[in-house]
Amino acid sequence: MRNLCFVPIKLLVYLVVIASLSAFFWVERNFSIPSIDQLLYHVVHARQMPLTADRDLVRSFVVGVVVLPLLAAVVLTWLDSAFSRRVAAALTAGSWLTRIAWAGRVPVLLIGTGAFLMGETAALSYIADQRSSTDYFGTHYVAPRAVAIGGGEPKNLVIIYLESVEATYGDAALFGRDLLRPLAELPGESFADFQQVPGTGWTMGGIVGSQCGIPLKNVFLSARDWRGKGISYGINEIGERLARFLPGAACLSDILRQYGYTNVFVGGASLDFAGKGTFLRNHAYDQVYGREELLEAGLDSPLNASGFYDDAVLAFAKTKFQELHAAGQPFNLTLLTLDTHGPEGFVSPACAARGASSFADIVECTAVQVSEFVRFLIDNGYLADTRVVILGDHLAMRNPLSDALEQAPQRTVFNRFIG
């Protein structure tokens, strides 16, 4: 009877251990080991992920991190219970140390797993950093209101975020060819030491970092006093109540709005994913187009597991650019590509027609498509009043080229400033 009372506890411990390890290795395999800030940020936005993320990715998560660990935990619990009495009887004649080791097997397993995960994710270092009195960003941050902004005739702005594209892809010694050559050949300037700083290592982190000049920290560690009511909410409650995204930050789009700009965003994936739509709408973007909005706009093009392929997004963006330019008012058109997203990328019909099949081909094809978009602006004289900024949103996560990328002595984010 006593053993039966411990069965649910054993089952829970085995499930926690196996599911935790499975989740860690699943994340490592698909994205590489993320930062704690990145993990915490996506926990807050976990509710939207099953509906907005890559369906194949969601399916592999459910099978590998939920179903299989549950089955394994049930089997281990059954084996533990079935052999527990026999092992205990056999150990009766053994040393007291052996008996204690057997009796403490479950808590030791739990503690060992926790220690492994904390070590691999550098959790202790993260906690120490949070308690540190040194605030690098706070020391160096310059508030936009303290900077005088002026100039002559305002220029239109086109920002193109390249999903997970880093400058390392241009290393012909690693990949046999320069995968980014079409972009590097565009007239313009690039910074060789464009580093990825903490808090910017995922899409929303990269967008916020580049547009707002601040790292995207997790919200629930700093939201103890919600709306000034002195109330402390849990993770899920804050996720549900995240109606405003960095309301105190002055971002590029906010400043441009003050100078009469129209801000427009176009991306192939859902805006619901990771709070992207909330950020854009809260920071002066007048028009936002994601997967659902493009469908409503009548975009008739094949979809991948996460949204529209880049060729369709760029074609829509070209039409939108012409429409905005014809209106005669200054504007900011922000684009976000998708095809180079890990862990496998997406081969669009247009890239397949160019002969693309591997992940390296996808990167190269994306570079070609984006360069053709920019060449269209150049060839039609739009750069007379328009500036183009091409940025990788962050360094590449786990993908088929990761082993080669990790051989680079230094990895930096791709960037090109044109006009």
mmCIF file of all heavy atoms in Angstrom, residues 8-26 64-66 68-74 76-77 80 104-118:
data_model
loop_
_atom_site.group_PDB
_atom_site.id
_atom_site.type_symbol
_atom_site.label_atom_id
_atom_site.label_comp_id
_atom_site.label_asym_id
_atom_site.label_seq_id
_atom_site.Cartn_x
_atom_site.Cartn_y
_atom_site.Cartn_z
ATOM 1 N N PRO A 8 2.279 7.805 -7.937
ATOM 2 C CA PRO A 8 2.062 9.086 -8.629
ATOM 3 C C PRO A 8 3.258 10.027 -8.523
ATOM 4 O O PRO A 8 3.564 10.750 -9.469
ATOM 5 C CB PRO A 8 0.837 9.673 -7.911
ATOM 6 C CG PRO A 8 0.145 8.506 -7.289
ATOM 7 C CD PRO A 8 1.242 7.564 -6.899
ATOM 8 N N ILE A 9 3.940 10.004 -7.362
ATOM 9 C CA ILE A 9 5.105 10.876 -7.179
ATOM 10 C C ILE A 9 6.228 10.450 -8.116
ATOM 11 O O ILE A 9 6.866 11.273 -8.769
ATOM 12 C CB ILE A 9 5.576 10.844 -5.715
ATOM 13 C CG1 ILE A 9 4.476 11.391 -4.800
ATOM 14 C CG2 ILE A 9 6.862 11.642 -5.548
ATOM 15 C CD1 ILE A 9 4.805 11.312 -3.333
ATOM 16 N N LYS A 10 6.463 9.116 -8.172
ATOM 17 C CA LYS A 10 7.498 8.602 -9.072
ATOM 18 C C LYS A 10 7.171 8.939 -10.527
ATOM 19 O O LYS A 10 8.045 9.348 -11.294
ATOM 20 C CB LYS A 10 7.636 7.095 -8.909
ATOM 21 C CG LYS A 10 8.221 6.647 -7.576
ATOM 22 C CD LYS A 10 8.262 5.132 -7.512
ATOM 23 C CE LYS A 10 8.807 4.653 -6.158
ATOM 24 N NZ LYS A 10 8.789 3.187 -6.060
ATOM 25 N N LEU A 11 5.903 8.755 -10.887
ATOM 26 C CA LEU A 11 5.492 9.054 -12.259
ATOM 27 C C LEU A 11 5.737 10.518 -12.588
ATOM 28 O O LEU A 11 6.262 10.852 -13.664
ATOM 29 C CB LEU A 11 4.006 8.722 -12.444
ATOM 30 C CG LEU A 11 3.398 9.069 -13.819
ATOM 31 C CD1 LEU A 11 4.104 8.302 -14.923
ATOM 32 C CD2 LEU A 11 1.897 8.783 -13.828
ATOM 33 N N LEU A 12 5.376 11.402 -11.655
ATOM 34 C CA LEU A 12 5.564 12.833 -11.885
ATOM 35 C C LEU A 12 7.048 13.176 -12.025
ATOM 36 O O LEU A 12 7.438 13.942 -12.915
ATOM 37 C CB LEU A 12 4.951 13.631 -10.731
ATOM 38 C CG LEU A 12 5.095 15.161 -10.821
ATOM 39 C CD1 LEU A 12 4.396 15.683 -12.076
ATOM 40 C CD2 LEU A 12 4.525 15.822 -9.574
ATOM 41 N N VAL A 13 7.890 12.599 -11.150
ATOM 42 C CA VAL A 13 9.326 12.890 -11.202
ATOM 43 C C VAL A 13 9.932 12.385 -12.507
ATOM 44 O O VAL A 13 10.680 13.110 -13.177
ATOM 45 C CB VAL A 13 10.051 12.261 -10.000
ATOM 46 C CG1 VAL A 13 11.576 12.362 -10.171
ATOM 47 C CG2 VAL A 13 9.631 12.944 -8.710
ATOM 48 N N TYR A 14 9.603 11.139 -12.874
ATOM 49 C CA TYR A 14 10.130 10.596 -14.127
ATOM 50 C C TYR A 14 9.667 11.440 -15.322
ATOM 51 O O TYR A 14 10.433 11.700 -16.256
ATOM 52 C CB TYR A 14 9.694 9.147 -14.316
ATOM 53 C CG TYR A 14 10.495 8.156 -13.512
ATOM 54 C CD1 TYR A 14 9.862 7.199 -12.716
ATOM 55 C CD2 TYR A 14 11.885 8.168 -13.547
ATOM 56 C CE1 TYR A 14 10.596 6.284 -11.975
ATOM 57 C CE2 TYR A 14 12.627 7.259 -12.812
ATOM 58 C CZ TYR A 14 11.981 6.314 -12.020
ATOM 59 O OH TYR A 14 12.721 5.426 -11.285
ATOM 60 N N LEU A 15 8.413 11.889 -15.289
ATOM 61 C CA LEU A 15 7.883 12.701 -16.390
ATOM 62 C C LEU A 15 8.603 14.042 -16.466
ATOM 63 O O LEU A 15 8.987 14.492 -17.557
ATOM 64 C CB LEU A 15 6.381 12.917 -16.207
ATOM 65 C CG LEU A 15 5.690 13.767 -17.287
ATOM 66 C CD1 LEU A 15 5.877 13.137 -18.665
ATOM 67 C CD2 LEU A 15 4.208 13.932 -16.970
ATOM 68 N N VAL A 16 8.793 14.681 -15.307
ATOM 69 C CA VAL A 16 9.476 15.979 -15.284
ATOM 70 C C VAL A 16 10.901 15.841 -15.812
ATOM 71 O O VAL A 16 11.371 16.648 -16.623
ATOM 72 C CB VAL A 16 9.490 16.560 -13.856
ATOM 73 C CG1 VAL A 16 10.449 17.742 -13.758
ATOM 74 C CG2 VAL A 16 8.086 16.988 -13.444
ATOM 75 N N VAL A 17 11.604 14.802 -15.360
ATOM 76 C CA VAL A 17 12.991 14.596 -15.773
ATOM 77 C C VAL A 17 13.091 14.329 -17.274
ATOM 78 O O VAL A 17 13.851 14.979 -17.995
ATOM 79 C CB VAL A 17 13.626 13.438 -14.986
ATOM 80 C CG1 VAL A 17 14.962 13.019 -15.604
ATOM 81 C CG2 VAL A 17 13.828 13.833 -13.530
ATOM 82 N N ILE A 18 12.299 13.389 -17.760
ATOM 83 C CA ILE A 18 12.382 13.000 -19.171
ATOM 84 C C ILE A 18 11.900 14.126 -20.073
ATOM 85 O O ILE A 18 12.521 14.434 -21.102
ATOM 86 C CB ILE A 18 11.572 11.712 -19.425
ATOM 87 C CG1 ILE A 18 12.146 10.557 -18.604
ATOM 88 C CG2 ILE A 18 11.587 11.352 -20.910
ATOM 89 C CD1 ILE A 18 11.292 9.307 -18.630
ATOM 90 N N ALA A 19 10.784 14.775 -19.693
ATOM 91 C CA ALA A 19 10.256 15.870 -20.517
ATOM 92 C C ALA A 19 11.220 17.053 -20.542
ATOM 93 O O ALA A 19 11.411 17.683 -21.585
ATOM 94 C CB ALA A 19 8.889 16.307 -19.997
ATOM 95 N N SER A 20 11.848 17.348 -19.397
ATOM 96 C CA SER A 20 12.793 18.467 -19.339
ATOM 97 C C SER A 20 14.000 18.208 -20.236
ATOM 98 O O SER A 20 14.424 19.088 -21.001
ATOM 99 C CB SER A 20 13.255 18.705 -17.903
ATOM 100 O OG SER A 20 12.173 19.062 -17.072
ATOM 101 N N LEU A 21 14.552 17.009 -20.138
ATOM 102 C CA LEU A 21 15.703 16.669 -20.976
ATOM 103 C C LEU A 21 15.305 16.627 -22.456
ATOM 104 O O LEU A 21 16.055 17.088 -23.324
ATOM 105 C CB LEU A 21 16.286 15.328 -20.548
ATOM 106 C CG LEU A 21 16.960 15.301 -19.162
ATOM 107 C CD1 LEU A 21 17.369 13.883 -18.800
ATOM 108 C CD2 LEU A 21 18.171 16.229 -19.138
ATOM 109 N N SER A 22 14.121 16.080 -22.730
ATOM 110 C CA SER A 22 13.651 16.022 -24.113
ATOM 111 C C SER A 22 13.463 17.420 -24.682
ATOM 112 O O SER A 22 13.827 17.696 -25.835
ATOM 113 C CB SER A 22 12.326 15.247 -24.200
ATOM 114 O OG SER A 22 12.492 13.918 -23.766
ATOM 115 N N ALA A 23 12.885 18.318 -23.869
ATOM 116 C CA ALA A 23 12.671 19.695 -24.318
ATOM 117 C C ALA A 23 14.003 20.387 -24.580
ATOM 118 O O ALA A 23 14.160 21.102 -25.579
ATOM 119 C CB ALA A 23 11.869 20.467 -23.277
ATOM 120 N N PHE A 24 14.975 20.162 -23.690
ATOM 121 C CA PHE A 24 16.284 20.796 -23.868
ATOM 122 C C PHE A 24 16.936 20.349 -25.168
ATOM 123 O O PHE A 24 17.394 21.181 -25.964
ATOM 124 C CB PHE A 24 17.196 20.451 -22.686
ATOM 125 C CG PHE A 24 18.613 20.895 -22.881
ATOM 126 C CD1 PHE A 24 18.981 22.205 -22.638
ATOM 127 C CD2 PHE A 24 19.588 20.010 -23.330
ATOM 128 C CE1 PHE A 24 20.292 22.635 -22.833
ATOM 129 C CE2 PHE A 24 20.897 20.421 -23.527
ATOM 130 C CZ PHE A 24 21.245 21.741 -23.279
ATOM 131 N N PHE A 25 16.967 19.031 -25.390
ATOM 132 C CA PHE A 25 17.631 18.532 -26.597
ATOM 133 C C PHE A 25 16.817 18.856 -27.856
ATOM 134 O O PHE A 25 17.387 19.025 -28.941
ATOM 135 C CB PHE A 25 17.884 17.031 -26.480
ATOM 136 C CG PHE A 25 18.959 16.693 -25.498
ATOM 137 C CD1 PHE A 25 18.671 16.024 -24.312
ATOM 138 C CD2 PHE A 25 20.270 17.072 -25.733
ATOM 139 C CE1 PHE A 25 19.671 15.731 -23.390
ATOM 140 C CE2 PHE A 25 21.280 16.783 -24.820
ATOM 141 C CZ PHE A 25 20.981 16.112 -23.650
ATOM 142 N N TRP A 26 15.491 18.966 -27.736
ATOM 143 C CA TRP A 26 14.668 19.369 -28.884
ATOM 144 C C TRP A 26 14.993 20.806 -29.271
ATOM 145 O O TRP A 26 15.174 21.125 -30.455
ATOM 146 C CB TRP A 26 13.186 19.234 -28.535
ATOM 147 C CG TRP A 26 12.265 19.596 -29.665
ATOM 148 C CD1 TRP A 26 11.816 18.775 -30.665
ATOM 149 C CD2 TRP A 26 11.676 20.876 -29.918
ATOM 150 N NE1 TRP A 26 10.992 19.464 -31.524
ATOM 151 C CE2 TRP A 26 10.886 20.755 -31.090
ATOM 152 C CE3 TRP A 26 11.738 22.107 -29.265
ATOM 153 C CZ2 TRP A 26 10.163 21.826 -31.618
ATOM 154 C CZ3 TRP A 26 11.028 23.181 -29.790
ATOM 155 C CH2 TRP A 26 10.247 23.028 -30.956
ATOM 156 N N GLY A 64 7.863 14.587 -29.475
ATOM 157 C CA GLY A 64 9.141 14.388 -28.801
ATOM 158 C C GLY A 64 9.224 14.877 -27.379
ATOM 159 O O GLY A 64 10.037 14.384 -26.592
ATOM 160 N N VAL A 65 8.391 15.866 -27.024
ATOM 161 C CA VAL A 65 8.506 16.471 -25.696
ATOM 162 C C VAL A 65 7.297 16.174 -24.813
ATOM 163 O O VAL A 65 7.365 16.345 -23.604
ATOM 164 C CB VAL A 65 8.710 17.999 -25.825
ATOM 165 C CG1 VAL A 65 8.901 18.658 -24.474
ATOM 166 C CG2 VAL A 65 9.923 18.291 -26.699
ATOM 167 N N VAL A 66 6.208 15.705 -25.417
ATOM 168 C CA VAL A 66 5.009 15.419 -24.628
ATOM 169 C C VAL A 66 4.658 13.934 -24.659
ATOM 170 O O VAL A 66 4.645 13.264 -23.623
ATOM 171 C CB VAL A 66 3.810 16.255 -25.127
ATOM 172 C CG1 VAL A 66 2.568 15.936 -24.299
ATOM 173 C CG2 VAL A 66 4.126 17.748 -25.042
ATOM 174 N N LEU A 68 6.092 11.026 -26.184
ATOM 175 C CA LEU A 68 7.110 10.015 -25.887
ATOM 176 C C LEU A 68 7.605 10.086 -24.436
ATOM 177 O O LEU A 68 7.754 9.038 -23.787
ATOM 178 C CB LEU A 68 8.278 10.150 -26.865
ATOM 179 C CG LEU A 68 7.956 9.795 -28.326
ATOM 180 C CD1 LEU A 68 9.198 9.953 -29.197
ATOM 181 C CD2 LEU A 68 7.416 8.374 -28.426
ATOM 182 N N PRO A 69 7.871 11.276 -23.877
ATOM 183 C CA PRO A 69 8.253 11.324 -22.465
ATOM 184 C C PRO A 69 7.180 10.780 -21.535
ATOM 185 O O PRO A 69 7.493 10.129 -20.530
ATOM 186 C CB PRO A 69 8.479 12.824 -22.217
ATOM 187 C CG PRO A 69 8.912 13.346 -23.532
ATOM 188 C CD PRO A 69 8.067 12.589 -24.521
ATOM 189 N N LEU A 70 5.908 11.012 -21.859
ATOM 190 C CA LEU A 70 4.832 10.480 -21.023
ATOM 191 C C LEU A 70 4.817 8.957 -21.058
ATOM 192 O O LEU A 70 4.701 8.295 -20.014
ATOM 193 C CB LEU A 70 3.488 11.031 -21.502
ATOM 194 C CG LEU A 70 2.245 10.564 -20.728
ATOM 195 C CD1 LEU A 70 2.366 10.931 -19.255
ATOM 196 C CD2 LEU A 70 0.977 11.159 -21.334
ATOM 197 N N LEU A 71 4.964 8.398 -22.251
ATOM 198 C CA LEU A 71 5.004 6.932 -22.368
ATOM 199 C C LEU A 71 6.221 6.366 -21.640
ATOM 200 O O LEU A 71 6.124 5.357 -20.924
ATOM 201 C CB LEU A 71 5.039 6.536 -23.845
ATOM 202 C CG LEU A 71 3.774 6.836 -24.667
ATOM 203 C CD1 LEU A 71 3.996 6.488 -26.133
ATOM 204 C CD2 LEU A 71 2.581 6.061 -24.112
ATOM 205 N N ALA A 72 7.373 7.010 -21.806
ATOM 206 C CA ALA A 72 8.591 6.547 -21.136
ATOM 207 C C ALA A 72 8.453 6.627 -19.626
ATOM 208 O O ALA A 72 8.906 5.743 -18.894
ATOM 209 C CB ALA A 72 9.787 7.373 -21.609
ATOM 210 N N ALA A 73 7.823 7.692 -19.125
ATOM 211 C CA ALA A 73 7.635 7.847 -17.685
ATOM 212 C C ALA A 73 6.730 6.760 -17.130
ATOM 213 O O ALA A 73 6.981 6.224 -16.032
ATOM 214 C CB ALA A 73 7.050 9.224 -17.382
ATOM 215 N N VAL A 74 5.695 6.418 -17.876
ATOM 216 C CA VAL A 74 4.779 5.348 -17.441
ATOM 217 C C VAL A 74 5.524 4.019 -17.373
ATOM 218 O O VAL A 74 5.396 3.268 -16.397
ATOM 219 C CB VAL A 74 3.578 5.245 -18.404
ATOM 220 C CG1 VAL A 74 2.765 3.980 -18.108
ATOM 221 C CG2 VAL A 74 2.691 6.482 -18.280
ATOM 222 N N LEU A 76 8.824 3.475 -17.067
ATOM 223 C CA LEU A 76 9.819 3.506 -15.993
ATOM 224 C C LEU A 76 9.169 3.390 -14.624
ATOM 225 O O LEU A 76 9.701 2.719 -13.725
ATOM 226 C CB LEU A 76 10.636 4.804 -16.067
ATOM 227 C CG LEU A 76 11.721 4.849 -17.144
ATOM 228 C CD1 LEU A 76 12.376 6.218 -17.173
ATOM 229 C CD2 LEU A 76 12.775 3.776 -16.894
ATOM 230 N N THR A 77 8.023 4.037 -14.443
ATOM 231 C CA THR A 77 7.311 3.935 -13.168
ATOM 232 C C THR A 77 6.853 2.505 -12.920
ATOM 233 O O THR A 77 6.959 1.983 -11.797
ATOM 234 C CB THR A 77 6.097 4.879 -13.154
ATOM 235 O OG1 THR A 77 6.540 6.225 -13.399
ATOM 236 C CG2 THR A 77 5.383 4.835 -11.817
ATOM 237 N N ASP A 80 9.931 0.447 -12.110
ATOM 238 C CA ASP A 80 10.402 0.801 -10.770
ATOM 239 C C ASP A 80 9.551 0.122 -9.710
ATOM 240 O O ASP A 80 10.068 -0.455 -8.743
ATOM 241 C CB ASP A 80 10.342 2.325 -10.592
ATOM 242 C CG ASP A 80 10.983 2.790 -9.293
ATOM 243 O OD1 ASP A 80 10.463 2.444 -8.220
ATOM 244 O OD2 ASP A 80 11.997 3.508 -9.352
ATOM 245 N N GLY A 104 17.314 6.839 -2.336
ATOM 246 C CA GLY A 104 17.345 8.231 -2.789
ATOM 247 C C GLY A 104 17.465 8.393 -4.283
ATOM 248 O O GLY A 104 17.796 9.480 -4.761
ATOM 249 N N ARG A 105 17.198 7.326 -5.035
ATOM 250 C CA ARG A 105 17.403 7.361 -6.484
ATOM 251 C C ARG A 105 16.541 8.423 -7.174
ATOM 252 O O ARG A 105 17.002 9.109 -8.089
ATOM 253 C CB ARG A 105 17.123 5.982 -7.084
ATOM 254 C CG ARG A 105 15.660 5.544 -6.993
ATOM 255 C CD ARG A 105 15.498 4.052 -7.254
ATOM 256 N NE ARG A 105 14.105 3.625 -7.201
ATOM 257 C CZ ARG A 105 13.452 3.411 -6.079
ATOM 258 N NH1 ARG A 105 14.058 3.602 -4.909
ATOM 259 N NH2 ARG A 105 12.198 3.009 -6.095
ATOM 260 N N VAL A 106 15.293 8.583 -6.746
ATOM 261 C CA VAL A 106 14.385 9.515 -7.413
ATOM 262 C C VAL A 106 14.785 10.976 -7.170
ATOM 263 O O VAL A 106 14.934 11.737 -8.123
ATOM 264 C CB VAL A 106 12.926 9.257 -6.983
ATOM 265 C CG1 VAL A 106 12.003 10.327 -7.568
ATOM 266 C CG2 VAL A 106 12.478 7.879 -7.455
ATOM 267 N N PRO A 107 14.976 11.396 -5.904
ATOM 268 C CA PRO A 107 15.409 12.799 -5.718
ATOM 269 C C PRO A 107 16.775 13.097 -6.332
ATOM 270 O O PRO A 107 17.009 14.194 -6.836
ATOM 271 C CB PRO A 107 15.433 12.965 -4.191
ATOM 272 C CG PRO A 107 15.438 11.593 -3.639
ATOM 273 C CD PRO A 107 14.713 10.754 -4.615
ATOM 274 N N VAL A 108 17.685 12.115 -6.311
ATOM 275 C CA VAL A 108 19.000 12.321 -6.919
ATOM 276 C C VAL A 108 18.861 12.536 -8.429
ATOM 277 O O VAL A 108 19.533 13.394 -9.025
ATOM 278 C CB VAL A 108 19.936 11.130 -6.629
ATOM 279 C CG1 VAL A 108 21.185 11.187 -7.504
ATOM 280 C CG2 VAL A 108 20.332 11.116 -5.159
ATOM 281 N N LEU A 109 17.975 11.757 -9.053
ATOM 282 C CA LEU A 109 17.722 11.912 -10.487
ATOM 283 C C LEU A 109 17.183 13.304 -10.794
ATOM 284 O O LEU A 109 17.602 13.961 -11.755
ATOM 285 C CB LEU A 109 16.721 10.847 -10.954
ATOM 286 C CG LEU A 109 16.339 10.857 -12.437
ATOM 287 C CD1 LEU A 109 17.546 10.575 -13.304
ATOM 288 C CD2 LEU A 109 15.233 9.825 -12.702
ATOM 289 N N LEU A 110 16.265 13.780 -9.951
ATOM 290 C CA LEU A 110 15.670 15.091 -10.150
ATOM 291 C C LEU A 110 16.704 16.203 -9.977
ATOM 292 O O LEU A 110 16.798 17.121 -10.799
ATOM 293 C CB LEU A 110 14.518 15.279 -9.165
ATOM 294 C CG LEU A 110 13.585 16.472 -9.389
ATOM 295 C CD1 LEU A 110 12.907 16.376 -10.746
ATOM 296 C CD2 LEU A 110 12.547 16.546 -8.280
ATOM 297 N N ILE A 111 17.507 16.095 -8.925
ATOM 298 C CA ILE A 111 18.524 17.107 -8.655
ATOM 299 C C ILE A 111 19.596 17.103 -9.745
ATOM 300 O O ILE A 111 20.046 18.159 -10.203
ATOM 301 C CB ILE A 111 19.166 16.870 -7.269
ATOM 302 C CG1 ILE A 111 18.117 17.106 -6.174
ATOM 303 C CG2 ILE A 111 20.365 17.789 -7.063
ATOM 304 C CD1 ILE A 111 18.591 16.688 -4.802
ATOM 305 N N GLY A 112 19.989 15.914 -10.168
ATOM 306 C CA GLY A 112 21.009 15.807 -11.214
ATOM 307 C C GLY A 112 20.550 16.425 -12.529
ATOM 308 O O GLY A 112 21.320 17.118 -13.213
ATOM 309 N N THR A 113 19.288 16.183 -12.872
ATOM 310 C CA THR A 113 18.748 16.769 -14.099
ATOM 311 C C THR A 113 18.708 18.288 -14.008
ATOM 312 O O THR A 113 19.074 18.993 -14.958
ATOM 313 C CB THR A 113 17.322 16.240 -14.366
ATOM 314 O OG1 THR A 113 17.373 14.809 -14.489
ATOM 315 C CG2 THR A 113 16.748 16.843 -15.633
ATOM 316 N N GLY A 114 18.276 18.779 -12.861
ATOM 317 C CA GLY A 114 18.230 20.222 -12.665
ATOM 318 C C GLY A 114 19.608 20.853 -12.772
ATOM 319 O O GLY A 114 19.781 21.906 -13.391
ATOM 320 N N ALA A 115 20.609 20.193 -12.176
ATOM 321 C CA ALA A 115 21.976 20.711 -12.228
ATOM 322 C C ALA A 115 22.500 20.720 -13.661
ATOM 323 O O ALA A 115 23.162 21.676 -14.096
ATOM 324 C CB ALA A 115 22.888 19.866 -11.344
ATOM 325 N N PHE A 116 22.201 19.670 -14.422
ATOM 326 C CA PHE A 116 22.626 19.597 -15.819
ATOM 327 C C PHE A 116 22.030 20.729 -16.640
ATOM 328 O O PHE A 116 22.731 21.426 -17.384
ATOM 329 C CB PHE A 116 22.219 18.252 -16.427
ATOM 330 C CG PHE A 116 22.386 18.186 -17.919
ATOM 331 C CD1 PHE A 116 23.631 17.984 -18.491
ATOM 332 C CD2 PHE A 116 21.284 18.339 -18.754
ATOM 333 C CE1 PHE A 116 23.782 17.932 -19.876
ATOM 334 C CE2 PHE A 116 21.420 18.285 -20.131
ATOM 335 C CZ PHE A 116 22.676 18.084 -20.693
ATOM 336 N N LEU A 117 20.720 20.945 -16.492
ATOM 337 C CA LEU A 117 20.046 21.976 -17.275
ATOM 338 C C LEU A 117 20.525 23.371 -16.890
ATOM 339 O O LEU A 117 20.713 24.237 -17.755
ATOM 340 C CB LEU A 117 18.532 21.873 -17.089
ATOM 341 C CG LEU A 117 17.883 20.606 -17.648
ATOM 342 C CD1 LEU A 117 16.405 20.575 -17.318
ATOM 343 C CD2 LEU A 117 18.081 20.515 -19.153
ATOM 344 N N MET A 118 20.739 23.589 -15.613
ATOM 345 C CA MET A 118 21.230 24.901 -15.176
ATOM 346 C C MET A 118 22.635 25.166 -15.702
ATOM 347 O O MET A 118 22.974 26.284 -16.092
ATOM 348 C CB MET A 118 21.202 24.994 -13.653
ATOM 349 C CG MET A 118 19.802 25.027 -13.062
ATOM 350 S SD MET A 118 19.795 25.321 -11.286
ATOM 351 C CE MET A 118 20.217 27.061 -11.215
#
